[in-house]
Amino acid sequence: MADDEKSAMTPADDVEVKQKLTLREKLCYGVGMLTGPMMIDVLGIYCNVFLVEVAQIPPLFVSAIVFTSRFWDVIANLIVAKLIDKTNTRWGRMMPWVLGAGILLVPVYFLLWYVPDFGTNGKVTYYFVLYLAMVLLQTSHNVPYRTLAMYMSEDPKERDAATLFRSLFEMVAIVAGVAIHGQIVAAFDPRLEQCKNVTNGNSTVTLHSLEKAETGYMVAAGSLCGVAILATAAVVFGVRERKDIVQEHADAPDEPFLKSMKEAIIFRPNVDCLVVCFCFEMAMLTLEGTSALFVQYSLDLVDHVQNVLLVFVISVVFFMPVVDVLVEKFGKRKTFMVSSLASIPLYIACQFLPARSVAATYPVVILLGFIGASPVFIPWTMVTDVVDDYRVKTGKQLDTIFFSLSLFAFRLAAAVALGLTAIALKIGGYITGYCVQPAEVGSTLRLLMSVVPIGLTLIGLVFLWRYPITTERQQRNKAALEEMKKAKNQEECKNGKLPSSNDEKQQNQRLLDVNSIIDAIDESARDTDYDADFALSSDVDLSHLEDSARDTDYETDFGLASDVDLTLLKDCKETTL
């Protein structure tokens, strides 16, 4: 930027620039989906198939493992949300959790795809313990990772842009998971070829086939663990957690955690948002968790299982920017409602898709991908709006709690979807280890792909209609938050306070006299020839010190943190004068 353009910037322009996120920050933030979220996505798609067909665990026990781990998720959310809310380190509030949980997730995820020789009861116990550990670590990673968007910028549009990148990479994570995990497993697993030539329903796969399948799952898990390590590094080193926002949260009055949790739960917009998140997420996860078995046993397209999953997630990624454009033009609620209504005919089509019809299957899958882009992206942007709306109404910032509750709604939806699938398979007569399943299994899978998503969509639409935060209300909240921050800065100036750095050496926040700081800056300003350097008069306004400020060590000379926003000094000067 040219010098004359810089000098022409107003304080408001300067604040706006600081709110902007760079493309690198958005990309690195989005890449974080290639760790814990990718692992959970792959587990959601392949969990039933692996536990039932490879680990040889009866479907009823699979339901018990999934449901118990999700009940533990309730406790884990409460524990993790409270601990994160108390975190305030020199590295930020969210980054230590993202790094620590991201590293620990790797060995736990890898062991989840190992089949121990413990017998049925021993294997049930083994997966039960690992699922509890996976849920705890995933919550410890996902809550701070998703909440991190609130600490990257205070501009709702910038946060939505970061959420868009995160949602795009969520589908990239599924694509990567399906492409890496699915193709590796298919290359190692000889059971598909074996089952093609079997017409006797009483034939089972051989022990040798199971061992090769187990090896394929382990190799696929190791590959995804390597990707997850790189993704965690990208977030830690590529995303900036703004210290001023962290400090603002740290300065907030400390209230009992359970009281804050109760207030967040009963907050009307949050209630609607949670139900919307649960219903649409469960509908999508029922499709994802059932799709592999649906293609194999209902459509009799065993050769196309991996390709159908891949086409679906690629379609979601392709149409995500389209949904973002529609949201920008028509608003979140209208876009979400129209796309949800359009999904109902597609769910009905799943009920009546003819078997062995590739030509009819793939168009439906592509359209489902277009519809699926909305529930993947929009609900998480609604959560950030709820956080702002609550702060405007109460003056309290409970971002960690709101994101924790939303994540719990998604996790509960996943648990119910997986459990429902396992129970339905049991009722439908699914026989573990058999290549050919009874006809009732195919009918059951068709119901899971049609009736269940339709019912959940209709319920979700009711609460989406009730959701009160419109585009106009979101804009009013943004303006109100800006006024609240300005009023707070002016109040601090009157009291002679300025925020200090979050460094350990500066934990005891120093009381600074605003007039002495401004006098010190004015004294140094007199030693500068502004007429020559900036073509300004000798009574230069403080707003034109931005360029020279970069050459001044405010932390040493004036006792200020190195990341103090110069616009705060301007507000202080105006208030003092």
Side-chain angles (χ1 to χ4, degrees), residues 12-243:
D13 295 332
D14 185 65
V15 173
E16 187 68 23
V17 169
K18 291 179 181 295
Q19 296 287 355
K20 294 291 184 182
L21 298 177
T22 65
L23 179 61
R24 177 184 62 83
E25 287 181 292
K26 296 174 186 176
L27 284 173
C28 288
Y29 178 63
V31 167
M33 293 301 296
L34 299 178
T35 176
M38 179 179 66
M39 295 173 176
I40 289 295
D41 289 334
V42 173
L43 278 173
I45 295 174
Y46 292 98
C47 174
N48 282 337
V49 175
F50 173 76
L51 292 180
V52 172
E53 296 192 353
V54 179
Q56 300 281 288
I57 296 178
L60 194 58
F61 285 103
V62 174
S63 298
I65 292 173
V66 173
F67 272 112
T68 304
S69 66
R70 297 312 177 183
F71 279 117
W72 164 239
D73 199 9
V74 179
I75 302 174
N77 267 275
L78 293 175
I79 295 173
V80 171
K82 184 174 183 178
L83 292 175
I84 293 175
D85 204 47
K86 299 295 183 181
T87 301
N88 188 17
T89 71
R90 61 182 299 180
W91 300 282
R93 299 185 68 233
M94 305 298 157
M95 284 303 183
W97 288 90
V98 172
L99 176 61
I103 293 175
L104 293 176
L105 273 169
V106 170
V108 174
Y109 177 79
F110 183 78
L111 291 174
L112 271 172
W113 300 102
Y114 171 70
V115 181
D117 188 16
F118 293 159
T120 300
N121 292 334
K123 286 190 289 187
V124 169
T125 303
Y126 174 82
Y127 289 112
F128 176 77
V129 173
L130 282 179
Y131 260 86
L132 294 184
M134 184 72 185
V135 167
L136 178 61
L137 290 172
Q138 170 63 11
T139 301
S140 301
H141 177 273
N142 219 353
V143 171
Y145 169 66
R146 292 181 184 273
T147 311
L148 183 60
M150 302 296 297
Y151 292 83
M152 295 169 64
S153 174
E154 293 177 311
D155 188 341
K157 288 188 176 181
E158 290 300 307
R159 295 198 305 248
D160 286 353
T163 302
L164 174 63
F165 274 79
R166 189 184 70 206
S167 301
L168 284 169
F169 273 94
E170 181 175 2
M171 302 315 300
V172 171
I174 299 177
V175 172
V178 172
I180 297 174
H181 182 101
Q183 299 300 329
I184 291 177
V185 168
F188 276 83
D189 193 351
R191 295 173 306 136
L192 296 179
E193 192 66 34
Q194 179 182 339
C195 286
K196 289 179 195 175
N197 303 319
V198 173
T199 57
N200 181 4
N202 294 326
S203 299
T204 59
V205 294
T206 64
L207 180 61
H208 175 69
S209 298
L210 285 177
E211 290 177 349
K212 292 200 68 175
E214 293 169 13
T215 301
Y217 276 98
M218 293 293 289
V219 173
S223 301
L224 293 184
C225 285
V227 174
I229 293 174
L230 295 176
T232 299
V235 176
V236 172
F237 295 106
V239 176
R240 183 173 65 96
E241 186 176 359
R242 281 182 45 181
K243 292 183 177 180

Side-chain angles (χ1 to χ4, degrees), residues 171 279-289 312 316 347 368-369 371-373 375-376 417 453 456:
M171 302 315 300
C279 290
F280 287 103
E281 180 71 2
M282 183 177 170
M284 289 299 299
L285 289 177
T286 300
L287 291 177
E288 291 180 8
F312 172 74
V316 175
Y347 296 145
L368 282 173
I371 299 302
V376 170
L456 291 167

